[in-house]
Amino acid sequence: MQRQGFLKRIWQRFCNPPSWVALLVYGAFFTFFALTVIAIVGGAGKSAPAYIIYACTGLTLVYALFLTGQLLRALKQRLLAMADKHTFTRNLRRDYVFRTVVLGACSFFGNVAYTVFLCVMALYSGVFWYWVLAGYYVLLTSMRGGVLLENRKNERKFGGNPTRLQKEKLASYRSCGVTLLTSTSVLLLSVVLILIKGGAFRMPAWIVYVMGAFAVYRMATAARHMAKAKRCDDIIVRIVRNVNFATALVSVFILQTLIMQTFAVHHAVVWNALTGIGVCIGIVCVGLYMLSTAKRMLQNFHEKL
């Protein structure tokens, strides 16, 4: 028992060493890494001392990464403790509905900035279908913002009547599904214009790479949250997440046009049109899903009355 307790204390000290030991580990890693570079550049990379240096570099790197993970976990716990001291940040962390509404309101300004970016591209390139995409983006942004404002007004008006408030939320859910279905014709117009007139805005490659990384992240996040929102009882959360997914699809379509033009891909017009059609189909599927879900939920709602 005493031996197990001793080994446990040793392991705890290994996982949580004093600050000066952690600094020594980081210093040792950078020292051995510098010696590794010197050995390779100096032509002594295959000597016995060089292999010893390689081993020491690898060991100190593993331990330094382990200590970094421990440090980040401790920092995370400290930040969470600080967040729990304030009502707003505590709700933002723990309440999924509250977090969705707040982040949805904040992202409104990002969507406005992206719309301005589309308008600038339309002005500089002279491509009319960029104006169409900007208009569609404004429509999606306005729909999400309108839902949040309408829900806030309904909560003030029907806060004491949960049944009426739920009915209003379901009506908003159905209306957004109809809007997504009907507004897809605007997006389809841009696809037709691509086939007829072609053209796109050419940007520096590094900007396209940055936009590509952001679009992939946004698409993955939107898909994950849309799936997560299906398990949420709050209808407003479902609306916001579904509209976010549609917005992410449009961002992917815009990114596609930039990639085709920037890197001069053969048959760019065809690829852009196919991507646009795929995005239209995806948004139509979201709209149909919202309509079918709203119909089923409204039937259940009336049966319970």
Side-chain angles (χ1 to χ4, degrees), residues 283-303:
I283 295 177
V284 166
C285 291
V286 174
L288 289 174
Y289 172 78
M290 293 179 71
L291 281 179
S292 62
T293 305
K295 181 180 179 181
R296 185 180 70 252
M297 295 178 74
L298 282 170
Q299 288 177 347
N300 295 335
F301 176 80
H302 290 302
E303 289 175 358

Side-chain angles (χ1 to χ4, degrees), residues 98-136:
F98 180 79
R99 182 167 63 251
T100 298
V101 173
V102 171
L103 295 180
C106 293
S107 64
F108 172 80
F109 299 101
N111 289 334
V112 170
Y114 196 77
T115 302
V116 172
F117 168 72
L118 289 176
C119 293
V120 171
M121 286 199 301
L123 284 172
Y124 275 88
S125 64
V127 178
F128 178 74
W129 51 265
Y130 273 131
W131 289 110
V132 178
L133 287 176
Y136 187 71

Side-chain angles (χ1 to χ4, degrees), residues 18 32 36 38 84 95 155 258:
F32 285 121
T36 298
I38 292 172
D84 287 340
D95 191 336
E155 285 181 343
L258 294 175

Side-chain angles (χ1 to χ4, degrees), residues 128-298:
F128 178 74
W129 51 265
Y130 273 131
W131 289 110
V132 178
L133 287 176
Y136 187 71
Y137 212 81
V138 169
L139 177 64
L140 293 177
T141 303
S142 302
M143 181 167 60
R144 184 176 58 182
V147 167
L148 293 175
L149 291 175
E150 184 69 18
N151 179 65
R152 185 174 179 83
K153 184 179 72 173
N154 289 335
E155 285 181 343
R156 292 175 178 177
K157 187 176 180 180
F158 308 113
N161 189 350
T163 302
R164 179 62 185 277
L165 182 60
Q166 181 69 5
K167 183 178 180 181
E168 294 295 329
K169 289 183 177 181
L170 289 173
S172 297
Y173 189 78
R174 182 178 56 188
S175 299
C176 287
V178 173
T179 303
L180 283 178
L181 278 177
T182 55
S183 63
T184 309
S185 58
V186 178
L187 188 60
L188 193 60
L189 174 62
S190 66
V191 177
V192 173
L193 291 174
I194 288 175
L195 287 172
I196 295 174
K197 297 185 177 182
F201 187 65
R202 177 170 293 180
M203 302 186 68
W206 68 270
I207 296 181
V208 176
Y209 289 137
V210 173
M211 291 183 62
F214 177 73
V216 171
Y217 168 78
R218 186 177 185 182
M219 188 67 202
T221 304
R224 180 171 63 87
H225 281 296
M226 186 176 70
K228 186 177 180 180
K230 292 180 181 180
R231 302 188 297 270
C232 183
D233 295 330
D234 194 281
I235 303 301
I236 301 302
V237 171
R238 296 189 181 189
I239 295 174
V240 171
R241 296 307 186 185
N242 289 342
V243 175
N244 283 349
F245 182 75
T247 307
L249 284 175
V250 176
S251 299
V252 170
F253 177 42
I254 296 170
L255 174 67
Q256 166 83 6
T257 64
L258 294 175
I259 290 175
M260 294 294 107
Q261 185 69 16
T262 300
F263 299 104
V265 179
H266 293 295
H267 308 295
V269 173
V270 176
W271 287 115
N272 287 339
L274 290 175
T275 304
I277 293 172
V279 169
C280 290
I281 293 173
I283 295 177
V284 166
C285 291
V286 174
L288 289 174
Y289 172 78
M290 293 179 71
L291 281 179
S292 62
T293 305
K295 181 180 179 181
R296 185 180 70 252
M297 295 178 74
L298 282 170

Side-chain angles (χ1 to χ4, degrees), residues 72-112:
L72 291 177
R73 279 190 288 270
L75 180 62
K76 177 183 177 181
Q77 294 299 324
R78 182 171 298 182
L79 291 175
L80 292 178
M82 292 174 59
D84 287 340
K85 294 180 180 179
H86 305 282
T87 303
F88 177 80
T89 51
R90 182 171 59 251
N91 292 335
L92 191 65
R93 186 174 79 86
R94 297 184 176 183
D95 191 336
Y96 182 69
V97 176
F98 180 79
R99 182 167 63 251
T100 298
V101 173
V102 171
L103 295 180
C106 293
S107 64
F108 172 80
F109 299 101
N111 289 334
V112 170

Side-chain angles (χ1 to χ4, degrees), residues 63-78:
Y63 193 32
L65 291 175
F66 175 78
L67 293 180
T68 302
Q70 295 289 89
L71 177 63
L72 291 177
R73 279 190 288 270
L75 180 62
K76 177 183 177 181
Q77 294 299 324
R78 182 171 298 182

